[in-house]
Amino acid sequence: MIMSKETLAKSIREIPDFPIPGILFYDVTTLFKNPVALQELSDTLYEMYKDKGITKVVGIESRGFIMGPILATRLGAGFVPIRKPGKLPAETIEESYNKEYGKDTVQIHKDAIEPDDVVLLHDDLLATGGTMEAACKLVKKMNPQKIYVNFIIELKELHGKDVFDKDVDVESVLTL
């Protein structure tokens, strides 16, 4: 069975007022639990990046840890986590940022990315872009050859793509 992007979008649950009042949360766990939707998403992401020479997929805590390793495996690449402070065991570098409802910090292992790497950063949702912009800044400090950024969902009306430098290729599977 072949799914359409509309079918993938319909498999995402919307939760009002989460994590705070006024935020409409797009829950991708309903997409992940559907084996047909999960396979379609995996295939779509693979097709988007199979010819880009990706050597590392970087997943953003925590929902980027689901499709990130799946995509890394399919691309024959390594997987690197970006996490909240205090979660990574070895020496890290960090970047702080503002998000829709507060301030946060992300960290990556200092030795996670090499200068010859072609990096794909992945997360579930692009809203205002703060988390991924911070993740991009972290990865850029390691001077990889190229950085790609991917989201399952982009909330177009929030213009999150605008925060990224022009040399960063930003794509989403679904635009809502």
Side-chain angles (χ1 to χ4, degrees), residues 7 16 23 39 54 56 66 74 102 107 120 123 130 140 143 150-152 154 164:
T7 306
I23 300 291
Q39 185 65 54
I54 305 295
K56 299 268 175 56
I66 298 168
R74 299 236 6 225
Q107 296 181 330
L120 171 60
D123 205 0
K140 278 188 176 190
N143 300 308
N150 171 267
F151 300 92
I152 298 171
E154 175 188 353
F164 297 97

Side-chain angles (χ1 to χ4, degrees), residues 18-174:
F18 183 84
I20 62 169
I23 300 291
L24 178 60
F25 186 83
Y26 291 91
D27 179 13
V28 291
T29 64
T30 49
L31 185 154
F32 297 151
K33 77 176 183 178
N34 176 332
V36 176
L38 181 62
Q39 185 65 54
E40 177 68 21
L41 180 59
S42 176
D43 291 346
T44 299
L45 288 168
Y46 174 73
E47 288 299 321
M48 290 170 77
Y49 295 100
K50 68 180 181 182
D51 299 323
K52 307 281 189 193
I54 305 295
T55 59
K56 299 268 175 56
V57 175
V58 176
I60 313 303
E61 185 169 352
S62 65
R63 288 172 303 277
F65 292 177
I66 298 168
M67 291 310 298
I70 292 171
L71 186 53
T73 300
R74 299 236 6 225
L75 293 171
F79 177 76
V80 174
I82 284 187
R83 302 211 58 192
K84 292 178 176 23
K87 302 289 186 180
L88 293 171
E91 190 176 355
T92 61
I93 58 173
E94 67 180 35
E95 189 76 32
S96 293
Y97 63 98
N98 293 313
K99 55 186 187 178
E100 307 87 276
Y101 38 85
K103 188 172 176 83
D104 216 338
T105 301
V106 290
Q107 296 181 330
I108 190 171
H109 278 135
K110 196 172 183 178
D111 62 357
I113 305 293
E114 301 295 329
D116 61 344
D117 280 324
V118 176
V119 178
L120 171 60
L121 288 99
H122 171 77
D123 205 0
D124 66 325
L125 180 81
L126 172 58
T128 60
T131 307
M132 186 60 84
E133 180 187 24
C136 268
K137 286 179 181 177
L138 278 178
V139 170
K140 278 188 176 190
K141 289 176 184 177
M142 299 175 178
N143 300 308
Q145 284 184 28
K146 174 80 176 149
I147 297 174
Y148 295 92
V149 171
N150 171 267
F151 300 92
I152 298 171
I153 303 165
E154 175 188 353
L155 302 180
K156 195 170 181 107
E157 74 278 358
L158 296 179
H159 304 285
K161 275 188 177 179
D162 298 347
V163 304
F164 297 97
D165 293 339
K166 298 301 172 217
D167 64 332
V168 177
D169 181 319
V170 181
E171 291 191 71
S172 301
V173 175
L174 303 170

